[in-house]
Amino acid sequence: MHGPGAGHAGPEAILTGVTIKALIFDFDGLLVDTETTLLESWRWEWQRHGLELEPAGFFADHGGDVNESRYVALAGAVGPAYDRESSHLLRTAHRARLNAALQPAPGITDWLDRAAGLGLRLAVASSSGSAHVSPLLDQVGLRDRFEVLATGDEVGAHKPDPGVYLLALDRLGLLAEEAVAFEDTAHGVTAARTAGLRCVAVPNPHADHRRFLAADLLLPSAVSMSLDAVLAELAA
């Protein structure tokens, strides 16, 4: 063990006899609730056309940007008068306004503080691109917490493909058994587990908790359990 946690047997040292050296976090919906701002931006855009968005099926079962299919659906609902370029500009501007008010998800900062106290290294593994992830991490004051960023524009496939987790592990220089992943979606859990990581699931507000059977631990929020208790529960 190294860093601030050296010299004592912290909970990171007892997971199946392997020293846990790093925590790897998903971004959207876990560190900050960008999933809600995405949905709300699309609801707003449908309402601007006098229409109601049906939220069922809105969120894809994989990572990455699926907005093109959403524009196609809206165009079909609006008809020939639909202006795709204007729609995109107005919706993304509205989402930017919503994102400007974002803060770290409840309990996340406490987990990151405790991780620093235990000497754990921190990484982000997100299917979103770096142009989305990095500015928002800066905005909410979390960018400096993370030693490594691995994003969807750097790998060939999005979650549930494990590529972005394997990239994060490579940049950390660690084996999968030396890290724990934190995810808010079922396909994210699949990606982490396929990469060989243990995974803690903290479903976002729009995720079905019943779909997280592959997670090693399922929590309602980061507030519900301290990081020490999370690591102890994984060890048990």
Side-chain angles (χ1 to χ4, degrees), residues 113 162-163 186 233 235:
D113 287 343
E233 185 71 17

Side-chain angles (χ1 to χ4, degrees), residues 43 45 53 63 69 71 76 81 86 102 128 135 142 148 152 155 165 168 172 174 184 194 197 208 214:
R43 279 179 169 155
E45 182 58 12
L53 173 65
S69 63
Y71 284 117
S86 173
L102 287 173
S128 294
L142 296 182
V148 163
V155 293
Y165 275 111
L172 288 165
L174 297 178
D184 72 300
T194 303
L197 292 152
D208 183 351

Side-chain angles (χ1 to χ4, degrees), residues 31-46:
L31 295 181
V32 292
D33 188 13
T34 52
E35 302 287 24
T36 294
T37 65
L38 177 63
L39 175 58
E40 289 307 315
S41 74
W42 277 101
R43 279 179 169 155
W44 178 86
E45 182 58 12
W46 277 66

Side-chain angles (χ1 to χ4, degrees), residues 13 17-18 37 43 56-57 59 90 99 113 124 128 139 146 179 185 195 205 210-212 230:
V18 178
T37 65
R43 279 179 169 155
F59 290 101
L90 289 168
N99 282 346
D113 287 343
V124 168
S128 294
Q139 176 192 303
F146 294 97
T185 64
R210 296 170 297 180
R211 299 187 59 215
F212 287 81
V230 166

Side-chain angles (χ1 to χ4, degrees), residues 8 43 77 81 93 104 159:
H8 68 85
R43 279 179 169 155
K159 300 173 186 176

